[in-house]
Amino acid sequence: VSRYDQHQKQQTRARIIDTAGRRLKRDGIDGTGVSALMSDAGLTNGAFYAHFGSKNELVAAVVADQLQIQHDILDTLPEDGRSLQSFIIEYLSSDHRDHPEEGCPSAALLDEIGKTDPVVREAYTAGIEDIIDVIAGRMSRVDGIDARGRALGLLTGLVGTVQLARAVTDPELSDEVLTAGLGTALRMLG
Amino acid sequence: VSRYDQHQKQQTRARIIDTAGRRLKRDGIDGTGVSALMSDAGLTNGAFYAHFGSKNELVAAVVADQLQIQHDILDTLPEDGRSLQSFIIEYLSSDHRDHPEEGCPSAALLDEIGKTDPVVREAYTAGIEDIIDVIAGRMSRVDGIDARGRALGLLTGLVGTVQLARAVTDPELSDEVLTAGLGTALRMLG
DNA sequence: TGTACATCAGTGAACGCGCGTTCACTGATGTAC
DNA sequence: TGTACATCAGTGAACGCGCGTTCACTGATGTAC
């Protein structure tokens, strides 16, 4: 039992997870070192292991945190028919494309997560399940048939669209990818 | 001018690009070292720079080669209405999900490509343009309206679906993702 | 045809560097009495 | 209230290791004559 209250340390931990989220989404998991992650949080590398057992453990915490943020955005959307549509418009905006560090962790990291430690993939699985549920819940109000299947189709289309728009170097093609993805996504809403 | 014909060296170069394709799709760009790439090709690390100016240059060559392969598969499909459907069924199969090293480079590497050197991204852009064209050409035979937009919607959905199916650790969820993606994709074919 | 030589694909050790991780230490904070 | 002490978040140098890249070299291949 600590003689100190843990509040300050937990705050530091939360700050590391937050700044690491931005950095990992921008530079990738393999592309970011522990020292960079710690200096983003205003600390030196040595303090890292007072908060996390390993880099993978931090990445798992970051993935869980980032998906929780996405979940909460979706979960607190107004219950009208247009709010999911607005979310999609923002998701497929050039602003989201151009700022991965502030955006969706799936769009930024999904193929890297598939190649990473099981502890990270399990955190991802738990987080994305909740997101699938909340999207499916929104969709069923429009059309009750196979809401979950359509939620999955929508989700994978959004992620793939932003990834492709980020990968290509031709700005016109990139814009076209976003526009086409938006048309496809809105058609899926019915 | 070489006193030797270059045939043998070109063959070695092609072998490196081929084996590197498999390895990069499995372990990622940042996740694979030059020594591993060379030993896959049955060579030692030092020979690498007789064939490529840098690791990025090889990765660009691999991306171009991999996309060419995908393009050729699509381009040589029979001209009947069912062949694109068969391609999609294979693309969204558990076999493709479970063997990224033999599969689509976009599904394996798209978010990493978005974070990589411009030389790689330019190779990707040129290659995916050709693939978009060939898919759009196939779609227009079914329905001429906005074939390119629908081709892009299909492509991003396929890529996102396989990535998500690979990332999650729950086998039932992974299968469900593939099934839902297949339903969505076939609906888009009309 | 035979021999001396030029070429060059490939070898493998080494370079400096940044990685993930460890650890002896510091100094501010809170406790004991 | 004051002082000696225990705690512990954070420091920063160091560890072994693999990275991308370089380079002196080997030895098989083809050329010259």
Side-chain angles (χ1 to χ4, degrees), chain A residues 2-174:
Chain A
S2 171
R3 299 169 66 196
Y4 297 72
D5 77 293
Q6 295 279 84
H7 183 250
Q8 199 136 224
K9 191 174 180 188
Q10 278 174 34
Q11 225 171 254
T12 300
R13 185 188 149 97
R15 180 160 40 89
I16 296 167
I17 292 172
D18 178 62
T19 56
R22 290 178 164 74
R23 173 72 82 149
L24 290 172
K25 286 188 289 182
R26 203 189 64 191
D27 295 343
I29 298 170
D30 277 357
T32 308
V34 168
S35 296
L37 293 170
M38 290 304 276
S39 98
D40 283 354
L43 296 164
T44 54
N45 57 338
F48 184 83
Y49 294 89
H51 294 279
F52 305 97
S54 65
K55 185 187 174 186
N56 275 330
E57 208 176 273
L58 165 70
V59 174
V62 166
V63 164
D65 178 59
Q66 290 288 325
L67 290 175
Q68 185 66 55
I69 291 169
Q70 292 294 119
H71 173 271
D72 290 350
I73 290 170
L74 286 161
D75 203 38
T76 58
L77 287 177
E79 301 246 352
D80 59 66
R82 294 187 183 284
S83 57
L84 187 54
Q85 191 171 322
S86 305
F87 174 84
I88 290 167
I89 289 169
E90 266 192 52
Y91 195 100
L92 297 175
S93 68
S94 54
D95 198 64
H96 186 203
R97 175 194 62 197
D98 297 338
H99 297 99
E101 71 279 3
E102 304 295 338
C104 173
S106 299
L109 297 171
L110 190 50
D111 76 47
E112 257 196 291
I113 289 168
K115 299 180 192 98
T116 310
D117 195 279
V119 73
V120 177
R121 296 177 60 215
E122 270 153 29
Y124 184 80
T125 304
I128 204 69
E129 264 284 16
D130 289 346
I131 287 176
I132 294 162
D133 285 347
V134 74
I135 297 178
R138 297 263 160 192
M139 295 202 92
S140 65
R141 321 221 166 172
V142 180
D143 178 341
I145 304 157
D146 193 22
R148 218 178 126 87
R150 292 192 301 120
L152 283 166
L154 176 61
L155 175 64
T156 54
L158 294 180
V159 170
T161 297
V162 171
Q163 283 192 11
L164 183 58
R166 283 175 181 163
V168 299
T169 51
D170 176 354
E172 284 178 36
L173 177 58
S174 181

Side-chain angles (χ1 to χ4, degrees), chain B residues 26 53 61 65 72 160 188:
Chain B
R26 203 189 64 191
D65 178 60
D72 291 349
M188 289 178 68

